[in-house]
Amino acid sequence: EDNVVGNHGDFRLVNWEHARIPGPQGDRYKYIGRAWADGDDGRIYPSASLVVAQYCALKDTNPAWDHADWIYSQVRWGLDGALSFLEKDGRLRYMQYFMDHQWETYDNRFYSGDEKPLVDCFDGEATAQEYDHSNPEIIHTSLLIGPAYAACLFHDRDPEFFTRVAALVKVGYQAIDRQFRPFPKKYSLGAWIWLNLLMARLTGETDYRDRAIREADRFLDLQQLEWAGDASCSARGWFRRSLNGSGNPWGEKPEQEVMLTPWTYQALFQLIATCPDHPRVSAWREAIRSYAGDYLMPIAARNHFGYTPMKVEAPTLKRQVGGKSLSYQYFGAIGRQFHQIGNAAFLLAAGKLLQDQSMIDAAWRQMFWFSGHNPRGYGLIHGFANNCNSGQYYPDDLGKAFPGGTINGAVGDDNDRPNFEKYHEYYTYGNISLLWFGTVAGAKQFSQPLELWPKEITESAHTADPLGHPRSSFPVRMKGGHTYPFMAVLQNQQSTAIDWQVDGIPGGNDEVGHIATDGRYHTPMVMQERQVVIRAISRQNPAIHEETLATVMPVPGAIPHVKLTMQNGHVQLAWEAPPGPLIGYSIWKRLPIGPEQVGTIFEMVGATEGEETTYGYPHARIHHYEDHLIPPGTEFQVRAYHAAFDATHAYTPDGKPYSGLSAGWMRSPRPSPEKIYGFGPPSPTVVVPFPDLAS
């Protein structure tokens, strides 16, 4: 939202700030933003955190092209989502359960995505469906990896914010440690190892690093060291989920899809990078070599396309062709091919670490499959291949076929033959592994003479009926009076000199907005939508240039001043109206840092309409809630917003609001909320005073 606003303003694609709502037992969560994941269990929540972690890993490679802090902007946006799913003690407890008519409710006056009844996300009776909730530790750990990594890497960019994030991570870690000691001995240890390494980096305390090393020994105990199979096919090196359990490296749900099994094994690479001189380095390297060289590659070699296994189901590797059970399998009944992208990333990282070209080649063969080198010639990564399916479960959902998006993939029959006809929806987990692959692969140069980001793009080509699923565009939309980073990269990175224009004016002006020499564009304040053309030009060769069309949206200016007073334990807020277009105001609250609870994001707690510039908290509407207490140090903000004509959440091809029967349940007509152009800049923070102890 703070980098490139979604298609319909602040309330789409994802409006993280509305992820919390007050409830009878305190704050609870809404699951919003279906483009991040899907499902009705706890696995949906860590997705934002893991994407943040992978972006941080990408930044750790110090890519020369990231001279406009593009990665940092993605991390900050993703953190809004990751932190909104964490309670103030660093834990996830509640989620929203699926129900009909979930879109018919509003929070104050803001439409905020998928709304569901609140349940305990680890209550198997309420949320299980086909998922196993026997390993909540992986959910909690995964939720902290992204915030911990970001706090390590970017503290100096925003010390006040990342100090809060670090405090929340520490509180959450302590809570996990108390509940799950000793940490379960299953391959979810990979995430636990990684979190401990991050804690050592975050705090400077070597005890966390030592714990990660000890846990790594327990993790290696789970590796299959004995050869399985016979002369026709033998393999070893996968990780069992427990010492006495199944030899299935596919894993337990939801762990299998939350953590994307190969993705967690980055912890082994992180151990080697963090402790390169430790005596156990040789054991960690051997574990990586065995998983890649003794498990992935031998079974991939038995596939005509060099395709890595999806899972191994038995101690023996003999296959029962035509039966229901295959001892090793390339395709599952419901797809989930993104595991193989994780395999490709693992093979590429292992090949580079071990200087083994055969592993590197095997990794790229895996990516060739996803680019269309498969029996049907289907591309499974949009923007990387043609002939892609639409990848949408419903043609009007948020999961558009965006460039870089990974389709779920093929399914297989009893003879393990791939079929590409169904399960084309998107899942975040595939995109995490694709980002890991890109992190390992690196980029020395780009294919185009000049690359400009962000840029208006069109949904990738696919094979769906264009009438049933038109190719959507992804325009660049920005709020007036805000600053956004544009980034231009020349093919030859040695030449980075770029000249910037706005509507043909070098550097822009007050009317069209100003763009600095580093590409940071400060948009003009506008009273109605205005389009501008941002152009990047090579200073060395002006014939090399790129441009994009951007829309500046009307939003209010900054609120100049907010006054806070206390009356009978209630907060009274009063403020001055800002300049610019205005419909109403929203009220936001953030708790102080405490020993057991930490507020990291501002949470919307109320709203006023029109010209009303006062608000009392807690409002009478939420008097009966338990979360109305206002500890000293609590912060409040006021944000003005502007809305205009009606806009629905999604459209059918003819542009009418969607309603109809799908998948056995009815989508009733959605309400038509006013288009939220966006919030203006937040007001100055006002803080609930601490008691005057002297009096």
Side-chain angles (χ1 to χ4, degrees), residues 419-430:
N419 183 309
F420 294 82
E421 296 304 321
K422 57 180 179 177
Y423 291 102
H424 295 303
E425 70 264 43
Y426 283 108
Y427 282 78
T428 315
Y429 332 119

Side-chain angles (χ1 to χ4, degrees), residues 581-659:
L582 177 69
I583 292 295
Y585 302 90
S586 57
I587 317 301
W588 305 77
K589 180 191 77 170
R590 183 169 70 170
L591 290 182
I593 297 177
E596 296 184 358
Q597 287 193 325
V598 179
T600 53
I601 61 172
F602 281 92
E603 305 157 9
M604 191 172 69
V605 295
T608 68
E609 298 183 12
E611 299 179 357
E612 186 179 358
T613 57
T614 61
Y615 186 82
Y617 180 85
H619 194 274
R621 181 178 65 85
I622 59 171
H623 245 298
H624 60 286
Y625 292 158
E626 297 177 5
D627 66 342
H628 73 277
L629 297 178
I630 310 170
T634 300
E635 297 169 281
F636 287 87
Q637 281 182 348
V638 180
R639 303 184 72 183
Y641 71 93
H642 173 55
F645 54 85
D646 287 348
T648 55
H649 190 57
Y651 298 94
T652 50
D654 62 359
K656 295 179 181 178
Y658 180 89
S659 64

